[in-house]
Amino acid sequence: MRLLYIDPVGADSVDPGMYDALLAAKGPQSEIEMVALPEGRPHHVEYHSYEAQVIADIVRITWHEAPAFDAIIIGCFYDVGLREAREVSGRAPVVAPCHSSSAIAAMLSQRFSVLVGRRKWISKMRENLLLYGHGERLASFRTMGMGVRDFQVDHELTCERLLEAGRAAIEEDGAEALILGCTAEFGFYSHMQEELGVPVLDPVISALKMAEMMAEAAARFDWLPSRVGASEGPPVDEVARRGFFGDSAPIGTRLAELAQPQ
Amino acid sequence: MRLLYIDPVGADSVDPGMYDALLAAKGPQSEIEMVALPEGRPHHVEYHSYEAQVIADIVRITWHEAPAFDAIIIGCFYDVGLREAREVSGRAPVVAPCHSSSAIAAMLSQRFSVLVGRRKWISKMRENLLLYGHGERLASFRTMGMGVRDFQVDHELTCERLLEAGRAAIEEDGAEALILGCTAEFGFYSHMQEELGVPVLDPVISALKMAEMMAEAAARFDWLPSRVGASEGPPVDEVARRGFFGDSAPIGTRLAELAQPQ
Amino acid sequence: MRLLYIDPVGADSVDPGMYDALLAAKGPQSEIEMVALPEGRPHHVEYHSYEAQVIADIVRITWHEAPAFDAIIIGCFYDVGLREAREVSGRAPVVAPCHSSSAIAAMLSQRFSVLVGRRKWISKMRENLLLYGHGERLASFRTMGMGVRDFQVDHELTCERLLEAGRAAIEEDGAEALILGCTAEFGFYSHMQEELGVPVLDPVISALKMAEMMAEAAARFDWLPSRVGASEGPPVDEVARRGFFGDSAPIGTRLAELAQPQ
Amino acid sequence: MRLLYIDPVGADSVDPGMYDALLAAKGPQSEIEMVALPEGRPHHVEYHSYEAQVIADIVRITWHEAPAFDAIIIGCFYDVGLREAREVSGRAPVVAPCHSSSAIAAMLSQRFSVLVGRRKWISKMRENLLLYGHGERLASFRTMGMGVRDFQVDHELTCERLLEAGRAAIEEDGAEALILGCTAEFGFYSHMQEELGVPVLDPVISALKMAEMMAEAAARFDWLPSRVGASEGPPVDEVARRGFFGDSAPIGTRLAELAQPQ
Amino acid sequence: MRLLYIDPVGADSVDPGMYDALLAAKGPQSEIEMVALPEGRPHHVEYHSYEAQVIADIVRITWHEAPAFDAIIIGCFYDVGLREAREVSGRAPVVAPCHSSSAIAAMLSQRFSVLVGRRKWISKMRENLLLYGHGERLASFRTMGMGVRDFQVDHELTCERLLEAGRAAIEEDGAEALILGCTAEFGFYSHMQEELGVPVLDPVISALKMAEMMAEAAARFDWLPSRVGASEGPPVDEVARRGFFGDSAPIGTRLAELAQPQ
Amino acid sequence: MRLLYIDPVGADSVDPGMYDALLAAKGPQSEIEMVALPEGRPHHVEYHSYEAQVIADIVRITWHEAPAFDAIIIGCFYDVGLREAREVSGRAPVVAPCHSSSAIAAMLSQRFSVLVGRRKWISKMRENLLLYGHGERLASFRTMGMGVRDFQVDHELTCERLLEAGRAAIEEDGAEALILGCTAEFGFYSHMQEELGVPVLDPVISALKMAEMMAEAAARFDWLPSRVGASEGPPVDEVARRGFFGDSAPIGTRLAELAQPQ
């Protein structure tokens, strides 16, 4: 199965460690490509105005690349462009980290908390979780006072802050599971769940596993994205004729070669 | 007061009739400019993947133009980019048609219906109305089987369909007011409310009136957009240094001269 | 435009400062009259049993006075009698402070808090905000331990308490905007928002601006209160014949002359 | 146990049949008095502006009469004044028909419908049922095209309409129980449930039974109305000193003698 | 009226004090039998997997015993088996403690808190209260750090913990009434409400009173459990032929004789 | 990976076709055992009182068998015993059909409908979908007028009814995907989605795929069921000492041999 992971930041900001994390977590039958956007795009999307700068790219990449993939993963915990990309993904299901990890958390616990970098992020994520139907299951958001670009700088510090926030969520807010609320928080879940004794969901891995499941379901059972009602996509000929999605996918870098040696 | 109306379609698709409608409805103290996006942008945004192609422009126009305006209006009933544009609008409030007309409808009635072109549109609009808090007040959506580009082609036909849909909403769904669910449905409300006997809200005018109110409130009472928590905007120096929002507003056409004679 | 502000307390309890505040905030095209109820009516409506003593008057005043006004404002943050008065207001829209200020707050922020005098008030106001659809946007209520009649006694003390409550709402509850939860809290918003750096909405001014907008919309676009379904009013001849609303408006005092000099 | 039933209409509009219905349904230990308002009050409260004319009376009667009763029943399916009267009822619980019958319906069925006279009534009743927490359990409202004053005119016609509306609710809307949505719909439930095979709740009897239960609970277990938080009542001395609730209960007629022979 | 109280624990775990509490609280016209399950069943149902061990018994007892009773009470604050038992109770209404006490609390207060033994219990109870429609009225859960079997061991300690938890609920969470969230918390309400000044509802008594009311309503007004839609019960002949509910009620002990002396 | 599928009906009612369906749909790395309950248990669980007869068995099987399996599937669209079994499943995640298929439907569509046999089933399933958070996404339930035991009798008839119900859901209710609301509706999804052009989810396969994903996540990432808060299980020694879950799993038949040849 071929999976496409879209890291919605400029190519100059891609963290190869994230691709390693994907390779380490993938199933035996999966091949993963990870793409990022052209240089000059924001290096993080903490701000909604930054999200707005990358959503066209996400749609365009999906449009151009979907035919070559079995499922597509949007690599941002705001689940930016999920609805928009789903519309043009053809036969490929599209998944995203917040949706995927909250779905998994709901199977492992009654209530969960999300550990985020800054208060800024909460409103949009809460709105998403509400739309996904997790209003009652959301124990709390806990913030760490760190930006997206800080998590992978000083691992020890990040881990300490995550443990502190996670412990507070469990003890004070009644969380039974934790979700790391940013794809850049990769690499920490394992140590955390050992320390804290509750499942700690890495959103990158959650989305990957959901993508593999949906890709298999599409391939074997023809469970393809609906194309009626709100799920109707734009007319292919209109898009082609007027070129709304450009001539090619706006991809700044593509990590795929690394996969082969494995 | 200077108001900016962003019509989020390519410049080649702008309907000057909409600008006339704005001029006819504005208050005596208002000046309105209407801008559209560069050519090549979608000529309508019925599809969410099309919305995705214009949201960056909306943010960029807001960023570059906001300092020169007292309020900004996003001219699409999906309220596309409302959250994102609000983040970078400085002192200018940003309003949008669905939010504005539903707020007004709630003051004139207990339940209202929205008349839309096609079933495709409903899901996103319902989601918006839900997030705006109108879940209980929404009597129904009624569709007319028309696309965005059809409304202004044959006025008589459009009017007939609108009356039919509106009548059904009132009689079968219990609507006490109607909202025209597309900015391209301008020009019909007046005849409709005469015929139907309930208030019929034009979303362009609703947004304009809300913008005027908010502009006055900003100017006289310093009721400016919040800039803390979820409303925090990106760091100005980061945006400037890295040029995330481009060098200038991506404006394809600007209707302003027409206003001066008035 | 002629606006009627109903202060739903006995005439002996009217604070002329509130009328001054209205005059100072009104638009150039507005004339405002402020009326209060006959003497003997409660001097505040903190208790719901007190509200019950004034709601008939609000309806009767609306019934008798509406034909002479373009919009009507109910001057109490419980929005007492809003549904009831709307039924008999003819062509005049009726607005109220809690509804108006929460609608404005939703355009300036993602979450807001309401600063109230006493815990007693919260339940009814929460219920109203819930019915208005702001359940998710309500960050918190914060109390100041003051009654309605205390706010204008020692301005410095009130201001101190408001700032303390507001600061806690912002820092601990995630409020991005504040609403002053009583019409008697007039005169404080400006200093507060300078100090706290978030918009602070005065409910009297919020309602006034909303009334002006609705009055203009009624006059120019015929957006009149719906009169079908739940918005249907009582038969005029029945009311007239049986005199349910009395012979004249139960007005104890009328502040209008003050307006002329302006 | 002494129960007070307040029929919130003018004394000239009281239907003695309702008092008979109460006497027939009461428990052996209960004594019931039924009072109506002074002449000149509306003869029905279908309109919210009419409700507004009687709510002060309801509060005043409660204030003056509560010390002599073990529970108080407000006799209108809008549950008019329930919150307001509860505030001043001292040790006496206050109940109302919509709240009581929906609570009973929830014990006998999963979903229920309410049969009302006219569409006008629905919005307020739906809002009440929502606030009472029955949003999911409400299968539908069904209207009969009759006013409050029509139900007892032609019993056969009323019964026919009720059966028709009830049948539709069961078959088309999935109702498992029916509530008669007006206290004036008394006398029909028994025949209806024989015909339709589902429980049909008379709101007058529902409220009476709930009142008896609450009166016993108050008397034997000291389960009295809370007087803290939102349930705090006004200061007794303030009320007394300023006379907000008048000198005596505004009672236009009192049906009690009829009870003695029983 | 004959009432059956099912204590859903093994016969060896029955607390005769609970039966005494029932006898002391019952109405003059009621006879109460209390049954427990066969020995070997769990001695408490704090865990949902324990609940699962007793729910078949609850249904079977209801099936076999309902014809001899006028109402049935399930004696566990999880309201275990309420939906299931209602299906096979014939003409007898079935009530349960959480549903009953929350219904009563809603008549005495605007917001209430539930005092539970351990955090474990909260999720299921919150879910129940949500389904019952009390989401907005639930001020909080407060825990005492005690198991079901601890409450009756050291009354002084239990009372102290209850008072502490109740006080916190009132002062910090805004509770206006308290519900004791376990049938084993019987015997404490009276002292508590004297101390705390708010109604404190004993769930055993709440359920008993509701049962008496429903039994009377069934007997006198034929308000019987609905048997259509979701309330449809299994075909009697199928059950009889295949013996799904066993030959007799799985009753381990029956406390009825104790009643006679009274 | 070893997966256990619990068919919660008596052994005499097992349909081997369901086991074939599981084998046909499983992933290459999965081994599946399917167990049913002892003879005498209900042959279907359409009634909630029947559910009550099997829930203890589900818990006991989970308790005894979980250590030998990587995930457990409860084979009933009521998701009977999901919460209860999760409590005692040790390291094995527990999944169920309604939860799984609604989660998948939410990734393929904005709104979905559930096709059920009889109206009886809807209330509990709606309640489940509400608790799972799908209130807004549920377009409708559509009934076919067939019992659980009818689906596999006349395949052509079933298929015809399913197509008819599905078509109505799509055209009239706005469904974009369909869920077959009973595990006994296996074998039909493929033909249906070809005919109807929208994804049609088989609940057995949905649960199987979710189980495989969760089993892998448990094995590789240690994402195990939470055991704190509401997810805390009963003390192992208490269960062992008192034998609440019996000596062995109450399994009436086990289909596993069939798997080996594959």
Side-chain angles (χ1 to χ4, degrees), chain B residues 119 123 126-127 130, chain F residues 110-111 170-171 174:
Chain B
R119 195 161 152 180
S123 168
R126 190 203 308 275
E127 193 176 294
L130 205 78
Chain F
Q110 293 291 333
R111 285 168 87 81
I170 295 167
E171 285 165 17

Side-chain angles (χ1 to χ4, degrees), chain A residues 159-224:
Chain A
C159 199
E160 197 181 292
R161 294 268 180 89
L162 282 167
L163 285 171
E164 191 185 353
R167 200 166 277 124
I170 296 167
E171 284 166 15
E172 292 170 39
D173 310 330
E176 303 172 14
L178 300 173
I179 295 176
L180 303 181
C182 179
T183 53
E185 296 178 27
F186 65 85
F188 298 101
Y189 80 91
S190 180
H191 177 62
M192 283 180 73
Q193 63 192 5
E194 266 171 51
E195 286 291 313
L196 297 175
V198 301
V200 178
L201 302 183
D202 179 301
V204 173
I205 301 181
S206 298
L208 172 61
K209 291 298 123 182
M210 207 58 99
E212 289 177 340
M213 184 185 77
M214 295 305 289
E216 188 200 339
R220 293 185 58 190
F221 314 120
D222 265 336
W223 289 353
L224 308 177

Side-chain angles (χ1 to χ4, degrees), chain E residues 6-7 9-11 35-39 41 54-65 245-254, chain F residues 53:
Chain E
I6 304 175
D7 189 10
V9 293
V35 297
L37 312 185
E39 290 205 16
R41 291 293 183 242
V54 303
I55 192 169
D57 293 339
I58 292 171
V59 165
R60 291 172 177 220
I61 291 173
T62 303
W63 171 265
H64 289 286
E65 298 283 326
F245 300 149
D247 295 331
S248 61
I251 289 176
T253 189
R254 186 184 291 260
Chain F
Q53 304 310 306

Side-chain angles (χ1 to χ4, degrees), chain A residues 13-258:
Chain A
S13 309
V14 166
D15 185 336
M18 190 178 284
Y19 190 53
D20 294 340
L22 284 164
L23 293 181
K26 80 182 189 57
Q29 76 288 13
S30 300
E31 292 175 38
I32 304 176
E33 293 189 22
M34 173 168 151
V35 297
L37 313 186
E39 289 204 19
R41 292 292 184 245
H43 52 314
H44 68 83
V45 289
E46 278 189 54
Y47 298 99
H48 307 307
S49 50
Y50 287 15
E51 284 189 87
Q53 303 310 307
V54 302
I55 193 169
D57 293 339
I58 293 171
V59 164
R60 290 171 177 222
I61 292 174
T62 301
W63 171 265
H64 290 285
E65 298 281 327
F69 288 93
D70 295 298
I72 290 173
I73 304 163
I74 294 174
C76 170
F77 201 80
Y78 280 140
D79 291 6
V80 52
L82 182 54
R83 177 193 286 263
E84 292 81 2
R86 274 180 176 166
E87 205 177 73
V88 296
S89 70
R91 294 173 51 94
V94 183
V95 303
C98 178
H99 190 272
S100 297
S101 36
S102 58
I104 292 176
M107 285 186 278
L108 296 175
S109 68
Q110 292 290 333
R111 285 168 89 80
F112 54 79
S113 288
V114 181
L115 309 186
V116 298
R118 300 198 303 118
R119 196 161 150 180
K120 166 73 193 175
W121 313 357
I122 296 176
S123 168
K124 175 84 182 291
M125 292 180 184
R126 189 202 309 274
E127 191 176 293
N128 278 343
L129 287 167
L130 205 79
L131 289 171
Y132 300 161
H134 295 301
E136 287 301 317
R137 269 182 292 272
L138 180 63
S140 64
F141 282 92
R142 283 274 169 176
T143 57
M144 286 173 293
M146 301 179 83
V148 170
R149 308 286 300 171
D150 301 332
F151 294 125
Q152 300 292 341
V153 174
D154 177 344
H155 286 210
E156 212 163 313
L157 175 67
T158 304
C159 199
E160 197 181 292
R161 294 268 180 89
L162 282 167
L163 285 171
E164 191 185 353
R167 200 166 277 124
I170 296 167
E171 284 166 15
E172 292 170 39
D173 310 330
E176 303 172 14
L178 300 173
I179 295 176
L180 303 181
C182 179
T183 53
E185 296 178 27
F186 65 85
F188 298 101
Y189 80 91
S190 180
H191 177 62
M192 283 180 73
Q193 63 192 5
E194 266 171 51
E195 286 291 313
L196 297 175
V198 301
V200 178
L201 302 183
D202 179 301
V204 173
I205 301 181
S206 298
L208 172 61
K209 291 298 123 182
M210 207 58 99
E212 289 177 340
M213 184 185 77
M214 295 305 289
E216 188 200 339
R220 293 185 58 190
F221 314 120
D222 265 336
W223 289 353
L224 308 177
S226 180
R227 292 293 168 233
V228 304
S231 299
E232 178 197 325
V236 173
D237 60 332
E238 180 178 277
V239 173
R241 197 176 63 248
R242 315 218 12 169
F244 292 148
F245 301 149
D247 295 330
S248 62
I251 289 176
T253 189
R254 186 184 292 261
L255 297 179
E257 303 77 4
L258 301 179

Side-chain angles (χ1 to χ4, degrees), chain E residues 49-50, chain F residues 63 88 234-245:
Chain E
S49 51
Y50 286 15
Chain F
W63 171 264
V88 297
V236 174
D237 60 331
E238 182 177 276
V239 173
R241 197 176 63 246
R242 315 218 13 170
F244 291 147
F245 301 148

Side-chain angles (χ1 to χ4, degrees), chain B residues 17-106:
Chain B
M18 190 178 284
Y19 190 53
D20 294 340
L22 285 164
L23 292 182
K26 79 181 191 58
Q29 75 288 17
S30 300
E31 293 175 36
I32 304 177
E33 293 189 21
M34 173 168 151
V35 297
L37 312 187
E39 289 205 18
R41 292 293 183 242
H43 51 317
H44 68 81
V45 290
E46 278 191 53
Y47 298 98
H48 308 306
S49 50
Y50 287 14
E51 283 188 88
Q53 304 310 307
V54 304
I55 192 169
D57 292 340
I58 293 171
V59 164
R60 290 171 178 221
I61 292 172
T62 302
W63 171 265
H64 289 287
E65 298 282 327
F69 288 93
D70 294 299
I72 291 173
I73 303 164
I74 295 175
C76 169
F77 202 79
Y78 281 142
D79 290 5
V80 53
L82 181 54
R83 178 193 285 264
E84 293 79 3
R86 275 181 175 164
E87 206 178 74
V88 297
S89 70
R91 294 173 53 95
V94 183
V95 304
C98 178
H99 190 272
S100 296
S101 37
S102 58
I104 292 175

Side-chain angles (χ1 to χ4, degrees), chain F residues 63-98:
Chain F
W63 171 264
H64 289 285
E65 297 283 326
F69 289 92
D70 295 298
I72 290 172
I73 303 162
I74 295 174
C76 170
F77 201 80
Y78 282 141
D79 290 5
V80 54
L82 181 54
R83 177 193 286 263
E84 293 79 3
R86 275 182 176 165
E87 204 177 74
V88 297
S89 70
R91 294 173 52 95
V94 183
V95 304
C98 178

